[in-house]
Amino acid sequence: MNTAVETFLEILELEDVEHNLYRGRNPASGWQRVFGGRVVAQALGAAMKTVSVGHHIHSMHGYFMRPGDPSVPILYEVDRIRDGRSFATRRVVAIQHGEAIFSMGASFHIPENGLDHQMEMPDVPQPEDLPSEEELKEKFLKHAPESVQRYWERKRPLELRPTDMRHYVSNEKLPPEQYVWIRATDTLPDDPNIHCCVLAYASDMTLLDTSLFAHGLSVFSDQIQPASIDHSVWFHRPFRADDWLLYATDSPSSSGARGFSRGRIYSRDGRLVASTAQEGLIRQKNQWF
């Protein structure tokens, strides 16, 4: 198995510290702060440990309050708010150095039959028709800023194949929309909870960045201070995160130093498997009081 995937699966194996209290570790990564998607995935995993078999995650809504310290573990405290016949509700608080860095509400549902419709999948190039990450690095990275090069050169548990690379190699102002194929770089266990946690991790990638397309900037730009503020995921249909998933994101608005983005995640066969939304800080550094 790919080493990055093995490490990620180990990150999802939370330690039981006490009743409703779990510890998640942070492997050395060279980042100055913990990647938000990792906190989301671990918090979701902590909530999953407290629900009965048969309840499946259908939505989660979180707030980032402080940057995570990658040098120490994170404690996850779960509040079992309600266990109903169809739904179960949890609240999770992630804690470091005695302070909350992230809070999340999560709702679980026993699957039911009902009405079914979805928005159609965008017509974009298939992942096989796009350069692999290695080909992207060889072709584009030498022209990209150093911060972009460092990001793409790290070993990661996910492979990304953008349908358009202009945003990463230029300051061109583009329509605020983005299409990226994503999948785990190795086969994952069959446990659906693991696939949901991997998707939750991936859902924090590219989303905030889409709000910067219209301004010719990126989250790697030294002109802005980017940070996720809140993050929501709705899980609609079963999927596998080790198969290609299309992440279609757009940004309806940016204002007040905040960028709002939303996303749709599709399986290869066109099923809408999840939706996302996020508002993030995109403060210009010369306007930081």
Side-chain angles (χ1 to χ4, degrees):
M1 181 176 286
N2 180 284
T3 302
V5 173
E6 286 181 333
T7 300
F8 182 73
L9 293 176
E10 290 172 2
I11 289 170
L12 294 181
E13 293 179 0
L14 304 178
E15 176 189 354
D16 290 32
V17 177
E18 183 52 87
H19 185 62
N20 296 331
L21 187 64
Y22 307 93
R23 180 184 289 116
R25 69 184 190 90
N26 287 315
S29 64
W31 291 95
Q32 293 182 335
R33 60 186 181 187
V34 179
F35 171 55
R38 181 180 300 160
V39 182
V40 171
Q42 288 184 329
L44 179 56
M48 287 173 168
K49 290 172 76 71
T50 69
V51 297
S52 60
V53 175
H55 282 81
H56 298 279
I57 182 68
H58 75 88
S59 68
M60 50 141 294
H61 310 275
Y63 281 92
F64 296 94
M65 292 172 282
R66 294 179 176 87
D69 180 352
S71 67
V72 299
I74 303 174
L75 288 176
Y76 294 92
E77 185 175 26
V78 182
D79 183 1
R80 305 186 188 215
I81 296 177
R82 179 178 184 268
D83 286 299
R85 288 187 298 176
S86 298
F87 289 88
T89 308
R90 298 293 185 264
R91 180 170 54 234
V92 184
V93 179
I95 302 166
Q96 278 188 322
H97 304 298
E99 296 182 315
I101 65 168
F102 176 76
S103 68
M104 183 187 78
S107 182
F108 298 80
H109 181 215
I110 295 176
E112 301 179 34
N113 293 323
L115 303 175
D116 195 317
H117 82 278
Q118 68 165 68
M119 293 183 66
E120 291 301 309
M121 181 178 179
D123 184 13
V124 300
Q126 294 298 299
E128 293 81 9
D129 300 324
L130 298 169
S132 67
E133 278 203 4
E134 290 304 316
E135 292 171 328
L136 285 174
K137 292 173 185 177
E138 184 176 340
K139 183 176 181 180
F140 291 103
L141 277 193
K142 58 186 176 183
H143 305 294
E146 183 181 349
S147 56
V148 176
Q149 293 182 30
R150 288 197 306 269
Y151 174 78
W152 283 89
E153 286 173 352
R154 286 189 174 96
K155 291 286 186 182
R156 294 176 298 173
L158 300 174
E159 180 179 1
L160 280 67
R161 293 192 184 182
T163 62
D164 189 336
M165 285 295 294
R166 287 176 297 169
H167 173 68
Y168 298 98
V169 297
S170 76
N171 295 322
E172 183 180 354
K173 294 183 178 180
L174 302 168
E177 58 186 26
Q178 181 172 200
Y179 304 97
V180 180
W181 289 99
I182 298 177
R183 71 171 176 183
T185 54
D186 208 334
T187 303
L188 298 171
D190 291 333
D191 184 353
N193 283 347
I194 290 177
H195 292 264
C196 287
C197 288
V198 172
L199 184 143
Y201 174 92
S203 68
D204 193 36
M205 306 174 80
T206 78
L207 195 54
L208 175 59
D209 202 31
T210 305
S211 68
L212 294 164
F213 272 47
H215 310 283
L217 299 169
S218 81
V219 292
F220 306 107
S221 172
D222 59 7
Q223 301 177 43
I224 63 165
Q225 178 196 9
S228 301
I229 298 173
D230 57 20
H231 190 78
S232 296
V233 184
W234 294 263
F235 298 86
H236 306 309
R237 296 172 178 86
F239 63 92
R240 289 192 66 94
D242 49 10
D243 288 337
W244 285 113
L245 298 170
L246 178 67
Y247 201 2
T249 60
D250 64 76
S251 177
S253 174
S254 64
S255 64
R258 302 186 312 276
F260 173 68
S261 301
R262 57 192 180 182
R264 289 170 286 145
I265 301 177
Y266 292 88
S267 62
R268 278 293 296 269
D269 58 4
R271 291 177 301 111
L272 181 62
V273 301
S275 298
T276 66
Q278 183 181 89
E279 190 171 50
L281 183 70
I282 50 173
R283 178 187 289 141
Q284 293 173 278
K285 288 186 177 180
N286 60 1
Q287 296 181 5
W288 189 5
F289 299 99

